Amino acid sequence: MSADHTLVDVAVVGGGQAGLAVSYYLRRAGLAPGTGYLVLDAEERGGGAWQHVWPSLTLFSPPDYSSLPGWPMPLTPDGSLPSAQHVVDYLAAYEARYEMPVRRPVRVRAVTRDDELAGRLRVDSAAGTWAARVVVSATGTWRRPFVPRYPGMELFAGRQLHSTEYRGPETLAGQRVIIVGGGNTAAQLLAELFLVARTTWMTLHPPRFLPDEVDGRVLFQRTAARRRALAAGQPDPGPTGSLGDIVMVPSVRAARDRGVLTARPMFTRLTRHGVIAEDGQEVEADVILWCTGFRPDLAHLAPLGLRGPDGRITVNGTMAVRESRLHLVGYGDWAGLASATLIGVGLNARAAVDAIVAQRGASASPRP
């Protein structure tokens, strides 16, 4: 084997919440940090994608329902829902608490099969190359914001921003802003922008508002019940509420009480000065703010040739069906129910490590 490869049993690609949860269970399984497992993270510092979101973002679950395995998220000083910075601080402290072998900044360019690596996968980056028995992809979705295509997008003379580019209401003060999207991001941004800008909310489907007493705790409990039913071979009860439904966090509730949460049907096309609404009228705008979600960040896995027409990789549990040395954690329900949430990713991380331990032929599995 070439000397330019560093050997590692498990290479975890991504050091955000999913990668840290996997690292926790690999440590519990007895793998040695550095040689048994290694986390390769493209960020400059700990905290995952949370360090890049808009400053006022608020979770819709309290700390005890926003925790990774092993160590509960600390309470906020005033008992409020956690802010994005609170999450960043927690993830960085979590990483330090368990002395996780994270190397950064390391952006993995490609994961490939290599006949010279004795059954291992090759993990290439500008910072080095690793030969891994197993690769866990935990890169999430943040680096692949999704903006749908509409006629006239190239004609619009104003600014088009994805929510990843939004940095606070003061940056759009006094402007005419069309907010696109029917989920929690759109609702939270509308709730602060309407105070300083002329806002119009447009959605492809009517937004679904959860009752005031329903928050992330209830959604996770419903997801857990669904998971148990599926694991027991029972009929799928289906989702009761969705993580895409709008949770009435305080700012959104205040906007509702002021009559702001009124969405118009999605526009049909863009013009130089705005958009053409469903009724044929032009709505003028300076900014279109796309709160339209993300796609899985899987470019580094392209050499493996595993993605289907929908852009996803078919998995059995967390293991790629067509490449048993690859596991995927943290990309949404297709890779595990609630796997893109702080509390939900732990169950999927444990399932991945259980499978990895079994693949390695170890006698022990992660402890509860």
Side-chain angles (χ1 to χ4, degrees), residues 1-34:
M1 186 175 299
S2 174
D4 63 348
H5 301 99
T6 301
L7 300 181
V8 64
D9 280 353
V10 182
V12 181
V13 183
Q17 61 197 40
L20 296 183
V22 171
S23 180
Y24 171 85
Y25 281 117
L26 289 170
R27 177 180 183 272
R28 297 275 286 186
L31 278 72

Side-chain angles (χ1 to χ4, degrees), residues 21-47:
V22 171
S23 180
Y24 171 85
Y25 281 117
L26 289 170
R27 177 180 183 272
R28 297 275 286 186
L31 278 72
T35 56
Y37 71 105
L38 183 69
V39 181
L40 305 173
D41 187 31
E43 299 290 348
E44 295 283 342
R45 59 190 65 85

Side-chain angles (χ1 to χ4, degrees), residues 309-358:
D310 60 358
R312 299 174 178 176
I313 295 174
T314 303
V315 293
N316 179 11
T318 63
M319 184 180 70
V321 169
R322 292 167 53 202
E323 177 49 79
S324 62
R325 295 168 293 181
L326 174 67
H327 291 257
L328 296 99
V329 177
Y331 293 99
D333 284 357
W334 66 273
L337 293 180
S339 68
T341 65
L342 279 159
I343 192 169
V345 74
L347 294 173
N348 296 280
R350 176 170 179 163
V353 174
D354 279 340
I356 291 167
V357 169

Side-chain angles (χ1 to χ4, degrees), residues 59-62 65 81 184 208-223 240-250 252-253 256:
L59 300 189
F60 47 77
S61 299
Y65 274 80
L81 293 172
N184 282 285
R208 295 174 56 180
F209 303 101
L210 293 169
D212 286 6
E213 67 274 11
V214 174
D215 60 13
R217 288 173 294 191
V218 176
L219 294 178
F220 179 75
Q221 289 164 357
R222 292 172 177 173
T223 298
T240 306
S242 164
L243 292 174
D245 294 348
I246 295 172
V247 177
M248 288 298 166
V249 298
V252 175
R253 191 181 306 124
R256 178 202 60 194

Side-chain angles (χ1 to χ4, degrees), residues 244-268:
D245 294 348
I246 295 172
V247 177
M248 288 298 166
V249 298
S251 63
V252 175
R253 191 181 306 124
R256 178 202 60 194
D257 294 345
R258 295 182 64 170
V260 176
L261 297 187
T262 302
R264 297 182 60 171
M266 189 59 185
F267 55 77
T268 59

Side-chain angles (χ1 to χ4, degrees), residues 123-136:
V123 181
D124 283 312
S125 80
T129 300
W130 289 265
R133 297 187 189 279
V134 175
V135 171
V136 180

Side-chain angles (χ1 to χ4, degrees), residues 171-185:
T171 63
L172 303 181
Q175 300 185 58
R176 298 166 298 180
V177 182
I178 294 176
I179 300 168
V180 180
N184 282 285
T185 295

Side-chain angles (χ1 to χ4, degrees), residues 17 20 46-68 71-95 342:
Q17 61 197 40
L20 296 183
W50 293 97
Q51 59 194 296
H52 303 301
V53 302
W54 67 94
S56 60
L57 182 147
T58 300
L59 300 189
F60 47 77
S61 299
D64 55 333
Y65 274 80
S66 304
S67 300
L68 294 181
W71 184 43
M73 178 184 287
L75 299 177
T76 58
D78 60 358
S80 61
L81 293 172
S83 67
Q85 187 57 52
H86 189 80
V87 178
V88 170
D89 294 342
Y90 168 65
L91 294 181
Y94 185 92
E95 180 182 318
L342 279 159

